[in-house]
């Protein structure tokens, strides 16, 4: 009788250990105190909400969104006052056949 009970307990423990996490009866999460940061205890989470299988495509999309968001706002176009260089007229107004240019520090010049 004791051997049969031990076998049943071992089989039950082994079968629950092999089940995926989302099939567990309840998930648990640590609860922390905001003021001190100390662990207060464990809270049980409902399996129907927190036990769903992980969608790798959605997880990758969320991670990429956060990475791009951190980089946002770092690009800018320099104005005339921010560009280094001379304001001297680069070439004569007439006689060259090129468009009129007053300076080489305009925003339409690259470099």
């Amino acid at each position: 009788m004791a051997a049969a009970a031990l076998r049943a307990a071992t089989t039950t423990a082994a079968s629950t250990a092999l089940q995926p996490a989302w099939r567990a009866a309840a998930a648990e999460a640590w609860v922390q105190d905001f003021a001190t940061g100390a662990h207060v205890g464990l809270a049980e989470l409902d399996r129907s909400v927190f036990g769903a299988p992980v969608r790798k495509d959605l997880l990758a999309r969320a991670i990429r969104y956060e990475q791009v968001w951190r980089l946002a706002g770092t690009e800018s176009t320099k104005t005339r006052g921010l560009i280094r260089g001379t304001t001297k007229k680069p070439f004569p107004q007439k006689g060259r056949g090129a468009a009129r240019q007053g300076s080489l520090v305009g925003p339409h010049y690259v470099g």
Side-chain angles (χ1 to χ4, degrees):
M1 179 80 173
L6 181 61
R7 247 189 322 247
T10 314
T11 307
T12 307
S15 64
T16 56
L18 297 176
Q19 288 182 352
W22 59 271
R23 290 190 184 248
E28 294 181 337
W30 286 103
V31 178
Q32 275 185 309
D33 185 11
F34 280 117
T36 62
H39 292 289
V40 178
L42 286 174
E44 289 192 20
L45 306 174
D46 186 19
R47 186 183 109 192
S48 64
V49 177
F50 296 99
V54 175
R55 293 261 319 260
K56 291 183 181 180
D57 60 324
L58 293 179
L59 187 60
R61 184 182 288 186
I63 290 171
R64 182 68 183 144
Y65 171 80
E66 292 295 330
Q67 289 173 341
V68 170
W69 183 84
R70 287 176 49 198
L71 296 176
T74 58
E75 303 164 351
S76 63
T77 303
K78 292 184 178 181
T79 59
R80 290 179 63 92
L82 296 176
I83 296 175
R84 293 180 54 185
T86 181
T87 57
K88 178 184 176 294
K89 192 167 182 65
F91 46 82
Q93 182 90 355
K94 293 183 168 288
R96 193 162 171 194
R100 299 175 293 186
Q101 301 295 327
S103 174
L104 293 179
V105 296
H108 56 283
Y109 282 104
V110 179

